[in-house]
Amino acid sequence: EPEVTQTPSHQVTQMGQEVILRCVPISNHLYFYWYRQILGQKVEFLVSFYNNEISEKSEIFDDQFSVERPDGSNFTLKIRSTKLEDSAMYFCASSVRGRKNTEAFFGQGTRLTVV
Amino acid sequence: DQQVKQNSPSLSVQEGRISILNCDYTNSMFDYFLWYKKYPAEGPTFLISISSIKDKNEDGRFTVFLNKSAKHLSLHIVPSQPGDSAVYFCAASSNTGNQFYFGTGTSLTVIP
């Protein structure tokens, strides 16, 4: 069964460093998302991406964040200068269509720890 | 700004009985709702969805009920099995965008 894969599963980084989280969405999906879940809190939307551009982003997704689909298969989330409060599980998701009448398939997540 | 709420952080049910997980929302623009299941160290897995034009959707042991006037939905699992033990997230979206708004989750434990 096709699945969304994320690497690495766990990333530890020093505050102020840049990190890149990688995702390979399901191959025939057109919409891509990043969500995050701070420990003990709800899953929060960061950004959606369609047709090689950001289609929607939340307040969390500030100038420190960027997304890219560099080669037609990978979908990356970059955090330019990490802060302690960026520590969370980051989930990539993809869907065939936008949110209506379809569900997003999530990857297993990358646990980011900023020290 | 908690637009989707799951007020029960945990629920324990005996195997074979019904599990009822509840979710409330505040945004009247939400018109599509989903339930996701999450095991530890894994990403959320889609379970079942419902559009606002329906009030019930059934898939095997799982049924989702939607009460639009009360802005409330529930997930029924019958009969509950130990493998159903997981965190269940309710999510909602509106036609103004592609994002899903998640609740905080309910941890279900099914006791053998």
Side-chain angles (χ1 to χ4, degrees), chain A residues 45-101:
Chain A
F45 170 78
L46 293 178
V47 66
S48 63
F49 191 85
Y50 170 71
N51 201 25
N52 284 319
E53 61 183 21
I54 291 173
S55 55
E56 193 176 353
K57 61 182 180 179
S58 70
E59 295 172 350
I60 303 167
F61 195 87
D62 60 22
D63 292 343
Q64 292 299 313
F65 291 88
S66 62
V67 289
E68 201 176 37
R69 189 156 161 80
D71 55 14
S73 64
N74 290 284
F75 179 51
T76 62
L77 174 69
K78 182 192 292 185
I79 310 175
R80 269 182 260 286
S81 177
T82 50
K83 303 186 281 287
L84 294 176
E85 54 265 37
D86 293 328
S87 295
M89 278 293 280
Y90 286 80
F91 293 106
C92 173
S94 68
S95 62
V96 174
R97 295 185 293 274
R99 54 110 215 169
K100 197 67 185 291
N101 295 322

Side-chain angles (χ1 to χ4, degrees), chain A residues 15-33:
Chain A
M15 191 170 57
Q17 295 294 305
E18 173 184 287
V19 292
I20 297 175
L21 309 182
R22 302 179 193 281
C23 169
V24 179
I26 295 173
S27 60
N28 64 333
H29 286 189
L30 301 176
Y31 290 79
F32 314 112
Y33 314 84

Side-chain angles (χ1 to χ4, degrees), chain B residues 84-100:
Chain B
D84 295 329
S85 297
V87 177
Y88 289 78
F89 290 97
C90 168
S93 68
S94 72
N95 61 8
T96 59
N98 288 319
Q99 69 167 291
F100 294 111

